[in-house]
Amino acid sequence: MTAKIIDGNALSATLRGQLAERAAALSAKGVTPCLAVILVGEDPASAVYVRNKVAGCEKAGIRSLKFVYAADAKPEEVFAKIAELNADASVHGILVQLPLPKHFDSDAVLEAIDADKDVDGFHAENVGALAQGNPRFIPCTPYGVMKMLESVGTALKGAEAVIVGRSNIVGKPMALLLLAQGCTVTVCHSQTRDLNFHTRRADILVAAVGRPKMITGDMIKPGATVIDVGINRLPDGKLCGDVDFDSAKDVAGAITPVPGGVGPMTITMLLTNTLEAAERRLQGEKK
Ligand code: NDP
């Protein structure tokens, strides 16, 4: 069997075209959707992510503001900027690029963002809303994964979904979204006793670990849909996922590549959340 490739670039292009139309409709009503991005420090991967997010905004007709701080910036400076952006009615979304330098309390920073502008969906209020099955902003990466599953018509009701990784930004919200759609969800992590046992019975397998090629073809149920969230840089500079694509593609029914899979979808869903924030503001909808 050779798996169907779930092309994140192609799906993103389609969705971003629709987003550009929504942004134009908002602009025609006098509202220019606007995302503010805060970057602290010189982590090269974070700088690339921020650049891609800003470029994605521009192409979709979303205004972007970028604020860059040195790695030794005082947390108060960043809190002051967040307060200013919270109060600015022309800003609809605020994103602080993670990870922050060690002297920052990341949770406190995320909580400082107005929950109505929390387009990453990391504020406790939005995490709670998602857990209650009433999401307001869905974290972008798992949101993108759900769109990818939808695009290939993966059956969700009653499916065995196994997620490897339990982070707040990927694994946990992924589990909640799949659960809400009727999957039977198992979440694996570094203390899981027999990882293969779990992955081999997954109809839907999501890898979000950060270990190059750790999921090999023999760990996959024939015909499964495999979603590779991992982004790892190999010694030769090339990117690879958490899934060993070459062995996995012969077993899986559908699979996402790295690069060109979940990565572009994450940014697409960030743009989606920003537009939704702007549309809600226009409708005067409040929590
Ligand atoms: P974290 O480091 O926060 O979480 C990794 C998870 O993997 C943890 O829950 C950890 O378990 C688990 N884990 C580690 N080792 C093993 C193991 N041997 N077996 C099973 N589970 C294990 O990472 P993130 O969730 O932030 O990111 C995961 C990957 O996804 C990274 O490669 C990251 O770069 C990528 N990523 C990609 C995005 C995209 O847009 N495509 C967006 C966000 C992330 P424990 O909790 O027990 O420590």
Side-chain angles (χ1 to χ4, degrees), residues 34-195:
C34 174
L35 173 69
V37 182
I38 295 175
L39 173 65
V40 186
E42 284 101 35
D43 176 51
S46 291
V48 171
Y49 293 145
V50 166
R51 203 163 56 227
N52 289 342
K53 287 168 184 176
V54 168
C57 281
E58 273 167 27
K59 283 199 188 131
I62 296 173
R63 184 174 155 240
S64 64
L65 305 170
K66 184 172 148 188
F67 303 95
V68 181
Y69 295 87
D72 61 356
K74 289 198 175 79
E76 304 87 81
E77 285 180 73
V78 173
F79 280 112
K81 178 53 74 180
I82 291 172
E84 183 191 317
L85 295 168
N86 282 343
D88 185 340
S90 72
V91 173
H92 303 99
I94 304 171
L95 175 157
V96 177
Q97 183 65 42
L98 299 176
L100 285 165
K102 292 218 168 356
H103 64 289
F104 276 78
D105 176 347
S106 297
D107 288 342
V109 171
L110 296 177
E111 292 309 299
I113 296 170
D114 181 344
D116 288 339
K117 299 188 180 188
D118 168 40
V119 285
D120 255 342
F122 296 158
H123 191 289
E125 213 174 284
N126 289 320
V127 174
L130 176 64
Q132 287 182 330
N134 195 18
R136 286 184 54 79
F137 288 115
I138 300 173
C140 304
T141 300
Y143 194 1
V145 171
M146 294 307 286
K147 290 285 176 193
M148 296 179 104
L149 293 173
E150 190 185 308
S151 77
V152 287
T154 301
L156 300 178
K157 278 193 179 51
E160 290 288 341
V162 174
I163 301 156
V164 190
R166 57 172 167 178
S167 71
N168 288 340
I169 65 170
V170 189
K172 283 184 202 161
M174 189 77 255
L176 290 169
L177 290 171
L178 290 167
L179 191 60
Q181 293 305 314
C183 294
T184 301
V185 179
T186 303
V187 183
C188 301
H189 46 79
S190 66
Q191 283 139 52
T192 296
R193 244 179 286 155
D194 185 352
L195 185 62

Side-chain angles (χ1 to χ4, degrees), residues 218-285:
D218 59 316
M219 296 170 73
I220 295 169
K221 177 177 172 178
T225 300
V226 177
I227 306 287
D228 190 355
V229 176
I231 300 178
N232 308 290
R233 197 165 287 282
L234 294 169
D236 64 5
K238 287 192 182 142
L239 290 182
C240 80
D242 291 344
V243 176
D244 177 35
F245 186 84
D246 289 337
S247 62
K249 73 175 190 325
D250 296 333
V251 186
I255 188 168
T256 64
V258 177
V262 177
M265 288 300 294
T266 295
I267 298 182
T268 299
M269 303 328 290
L270 170 68
L271 305 178
T272 303
N273 281 346
T274 303
L275 269 175
E276 280 174 9
E279 287 168 351
R280 279 183 211 153
R281 171 81 56 72
L282 187 65
Q283 289 158 7
E285 181 197 310

